[in-house]
Amino acid sequence: MSDAKQWGTIDLAPIGNCAVTALVDRQGRYVWACLPRVDGDPFFSALLGGRDPDADDAHGIWAIDIENFASATQSYRRNTAILHTILTDTDGGSIEIVDFAPRFARQGRTYRPTAFLRQVRPLRGTPRVRVRLRPTMGWSRAAPERTSGSNHIRYLVPGQPMRLTTDAAIGHVLDERWFRLEQETSFFLGPDEPFAGSLRSTARDMHDATLAEWQEWARGLATPLEWQGVVIRAAIALKLCVHEETGAIVAALTTSIPEAPDSGRNWDYRFCWLRDAYYTVQALNRLGALDVLENYLGFLRNIVDETQGGHIQPLYGVGFEALLPERIAADLPGYRGMGPVRVGNQAQEHIQHDVYGQVVLSNVQAFFDQRLLRPATRADFQSLERVGDRAFAVHDQPDAGLWEFRTRASVHTYSVLMCWAACDRLANAAGVLGLPERAAHWQARADIIRDRIETEAWNADLGHFTATLGGTELDASLLQMIELRFLAPDDPRFLATFTAIEKVLRRGTAMLRYADADDFGTPETAFNFCTFWLIEALHLVGRTAEARDLYNTAISRLTHSGLLSEDSDFETGAPWGNFPQTYSLVGLINCAAMLSKRWSAVR
């Protein structure tokens, strides 16, 4: 058996249906999937389980192996989340595995079951295969009890019993027996209920309907002329991060992939950060994907109603859960053995004042955009005013900041900036609703906060804005001053701040969040989203050629599935952190839209 601490890769391909997701490795093995939803217990946990999937004692996997394996190729069906893997043996025999989670319209609703479907076909020669379906439960290596019938196997996972229905011989699966694959074989892993109808024909129908659903959605995207493939793949991955039942958008599909080797910076990102979700809907809005925005606004309206003008947490569970206590899953060794594996996130307890701006900014488009099925109303505005009141009340108070420092608090410039944006955008919304008195009220509050930023975040001795009011440190979020329209790109104060940020935080083709030591020491990897902020800023200050070069470098580091994790190594570009990371995918989309040649260039 290979060294358990060495196995692990986030060069993975996600599949899903906006209810469940799975991460599949390059040999078509499921190594991560949580049930019954993205923040549930891992049914497939090999990613954090410390065993090579080839090992005899591997667990938490679903593998369809080819005997005498020689090579694998993998790709998505164009503009879909349907994954194709071709495995070839040493004699030239080969099979194709088609993986997807069913998703399509049925009886006036979207059918998106807690289920995965695998179609396996022989392509050449006389390949022999083996099915290893080894689920886990309870954040451990423990296998659930199983029972079987003539064409199914039941896995008795507490709270979510699952059933595998297949037209393969059940004994082959139970005993992990090698057998010759002579015809198309289907595997439907879903809720513990009988599968109605012919498995093969139903699987084909589900495939075709899911294919059409994804391609029709991608067809509606307003993509830039250049880098279309990158943008479409990023957009599909962002949609996979949506829990469509509630509209929540998770920050990533995984937990506890460290930000850097053995750093202890292992966090559970399978929840809805309002900040990350704001940036996600902003990016998808640029592509015209209004369905995600509309659904997310429903999620936000529920959060705002629940808080009634009081404290809003930086994150919630995908089912609106406020309590997400953090604990260690001690029975899993972690990615490449680099624990701890964390479940839940202590950031739920944090005070992060930027969240009020993100709630307002996510909502403000609904007051202007006449395409929406549900335009915002005066009642919605009055509800948002309570969020604005909170933003104004706390804008000058210390918080944990967007980087979520765990042991110290300051008045972070980014948080104050977002509180300013909340008041500024409420003034805009009041104007379009024909409420001049409210517009004047919110503009006056925005002006008060602007004055505080311009006087207290500006360090005259250093000649630039700083990351905290009255402080000296820098962080990359200061680049958002132009994105939020607080400063113009040619403002001398911004240019001076940008120069200082490049000097302190830039590492070649990548960017740090901050350079100062935090609770876990000095940052060791670049934060991909900040690298895209750097690219945006370069373009906006007139250094477009350099921005395009950096963007091309960034996309050269995409995984084979066309995606990015949270962080990357300065020197090699190797991926670290949870995967796929919505922040990073947002950067891919925003920079492509900003840097691309116009469509008129081809006319």
Side-chain angles (χ1 to χ4, degrees):
M1 184 186 73
S2 59
D3 185 346
K5 291 188 176 182
Q6 295 305 309
W7 186 82
T9 178
I10 46 178
D11 188 10
L12 304 169
I15 61 170
N17 60 6
C18 302
V20 291
T21 56
L23 296 179
V24 185
D25 75 6
R26 297 187 77 157
Q27 290 179 229
R29 302 175 297 205
Y30 287 37
V31 297
W32 183 255
C34 296
L35 299 177
R37 62 189 200 186
V38 65
D39 57 355
D41 289 0
F43 192 75
F44 299 118
S45 58
L47 186 63
L48 303 180
R51 290 290 185 276
D52 189 318
D54 285 328
D56 291 339
D57 60 348
H59 49 262
I61 62 166
W62 187 6
I64 298 175
D65 304 314
I66 190 169
E67 193 172 39
N68 300 318
F69 169 78
S71 64
T73 60
Q74 191 175 74
S75 63
Y76 284 104
R77 183 72 181 265
R78 189 176 75 89
N79 294 355
T80 76
I82 299 175
L83 187 67
H84 288 236
T85 306
I86 295 176
L87 303 180
T88 302
D89 64 27
T90 54
D91 293 324
S94 63
I95 65 170
E96 179 184 46
I97 307 169
V98 179
D99 283 302
F100 64 98
R103 174 186 169 79
F104 48 87
R106 187 171 76 173
Q107 298 178 337
R109 300 187 297 270
T110 299
Y111 176 67
R112 47 174 189 269
T114 305
F116 304 103
L117 211 160
R118 315 196 76 173
Q119 298 167 294
V120 188
R121 307 182 181 103
L123 295 180
R124 292 189 306 273
T126 56
R128 285 164 53 85
V129 300
R130 174 183 63 177
V131 180
R132 290 183 293 150
L133 179 48
R134 302 177 180 178
T136 53
M137 64 180 187
W139 291 94
S140 72
R141 300 175 180 177
E145 181 184 351
R146 68 183 187 184
T147 64
S148 62
S150 59
N151 61 7
H152 74 268
I153 305 172
R154 299 173 66 230
Y155 298 91
L156 304 180
V157 179
Q160 184 60 50
M162 297 292 287
R163 177 186 294 232
L164 176 74
T165 302
T166 181
D167 47 15
I170 287 295
H172 292 347
V173 180
L174 289 170
D175 297 336
E176 298 184 356
R177 182 185 303 143
W178 291 100
F179 64 97
R180 181 182 289 198
L181 184 69
E182 296 185 322
Q183 60 183 347
E184 179 179 326
T185 303
S186 301
F187 301 86
F188 184 87
L189 180 65
D192 183 21
E193 54 195 43
F195 189 93
S198 164
L199 177 58
R200 182 180 300 179
S201 62
T202 302
R204 289 175 177 175
D205 290 344
M206 286 184 173
H207 171 275
D208 293 347
T210 300
L211 174 74
E213 177 82 11
W214 279 112
Q215 290 189 335
E216 188 65 24
W217 185 80
R219 179 173 175 267
L221 298 177
T223 59
L225 174 60
E226 297 181 88
W227 306 295
Q228 287 184 59
V230 170
V231 169
I232 292 170
R233 182 52 51 200
I236 289 173
L238 286 178
K239 191 167 176 67
L240 291 179
C241 292
V242 174
H243 187 70
E244 206 162 49
E245 179 181 307
T246 62
I249 305 169
V250 298
L253 300 179
T254 58
T255 178
S256 304
I257 309 298
E259 295 178 14
D262 295 308
S263 64
R265 300 173 187 266
N266 300 14
W267 315 116
D268 191 348
Y269 278 3
R270 302 167 304 139
F271 309 112
C272 183
W273 269 259
L274 304 190
R275 178 188 311 114
D276 301 50
Y278 154 67
Y279 283 111
T280 297
V281 297
Q282 177 196 55
L284 290 176
N285 285 349
R286 288 178 171 172
L287 302 179
L290 293 181
D291 60 321
V292 176
L293 170 66
E294 290 182 307
N295 210 14
Y296 177 62
L297 292 184
F299 180 85
L300 279 185
R301 285 192 292 270
N302 279 283
I303 295 297
V304 171
D305 286 350
E306 191 70 26
T307 57
Q308 298 184 340
H311 168 64
I312 296 178
Q313 295 179 186
L315 71 154
Y316 292 86
V318 299
F320 308 111
E321 295 86 357
L323 295 177
L324 305 168
E326 185 174 293
R327 63 183 177 86
I328 303 298
D331 290 339
L332 291 176
Y335 180 75
R336 300 187 185 177
M338 299 176 186
V341 172
R342 288 188 170 93
V343 184
N345 199 300
Q346 188 230 339
Q348 62 151 47
E349 303 171 7
H350 288 188
I351 304 298
Q352 297 178 25
H353 297 321
D354 59 302
V355 68
Y356 303 106
Q358 280 122 20
V359 170
V360 172
L361 265 66
S362 294
N363 275 276
V364 75
Q365 180 175 336
F367 293 97
F368 294 86
D369 197 333
Q370 297 186 25
R371 297 171 299 169
L372 298 178
L373 294 174
R374 186 196 180 281
T377 64
R378 287 197 178 191
D380 293 327
F381 177 75
Q382 291 168 354
S383 181
L384 277 184
E385 283 196 294
R386 292 188 296 179
V387 179
D389 287 338
R390 182 74 176 177
F392 186 74
V394 301
H395 78 269
D396 58 352
Q397 300 301 305
D399 72 351
L402 81 161
W403 308 127
E404 301 184 336
F405 296 116
R406 292 195 164 204
T407 59
R408 66 177 189 262
S410 302
V411 182
H412 291 93
T413 302
Y414 178 82
S415 296
V416 186
L417 183 66
M418 272 294 177
C419 290
W420 166 82
C423 297
D424 180 75
R425 301 319 194 259
L426 281 169
N428 293 346
V432 78
L433 289 173
L435 303 172
E437 291 184 1
R438 302 312 297 162
H441 169 80
W442 287 111
Q443 190 57 59
R445 286 187 161 187
D447 290 344
I448 291 170
I449 301 176
R450 171 180 280 277
D451 182 67
R452 175 160 278 119
I453 294 171
E454 291 185 330
T455 56
E456 297 182 36
W458 178 260
N459 187 309
D461 293 334
L462 296 175
H464 59 71
F465 285 105
T466 56
T468 59
L469 268 56
T472 59
E473 64 271 49
L474 287 163
D475 78 33
S477 69
L478 293 169
L479 298 177
Q480 289 290 281
M481 285 182 156
I482 47 175
E483 170 67 25
L484 292 169
R485 304 197 303 274
F486 185 84
L487 295 177
D490 60 354
D491 188 305
R493 295 171 298 175
F494 176 75
L495 293 173
T497 303
F498 185 28
T499 297
I501 286 174
E502 278 202 276
K503 181 178 179 181
V504 174
L505 302 182
R506 185 169 175 177
R507 298 292 185 273
T509 59
M511 178 74 89
L512 293 174
R513 288 171 289 186
Y514 48 84
D516 299 313
D518 60 14
D519 311 330
F520 292 82
T522 303
E524 302 171 66
T525 51
F527 195 73
N528 290 327
F529 196 30
C530 294
T531 299
F532 289 115
W533 283 352
L534 168 65
I535 293 169
E536 290 177 1
L538 287 169
H539 168 69
L540 291 171
V541 302
R543 295 161 61 184
T544 298
E546 187 177 354
R548 286 177 64 92
D549 286 345
L550 286 186
Y551 186 74
N552 284 322
T553 296
I555 64 176
S556 73
R557 293 171 174 170
L558 299 177
T559 63
H560 83 284
S561 58
L563 305 176
L564 286 170
S565 61
E566 181 184 33
D567 306 272
S568 59
D569 184 274
F570 300 143
E571 302 296 332
T572 66
W576 288 94
N578 284 306
F579 178 86
Q581 179 76 14
T582 53
Y583 268 157
S584 302
L585 303 177
V586 164
L588 285 171
I589 292 171
N590 288 345
C591 288
M594 185 175 291
L595 296 172
S596 173
K597 298 173 185 175
R598 304 300 100 182
W599 277 98
S600 57
V602 299
R603 296 178 188 143

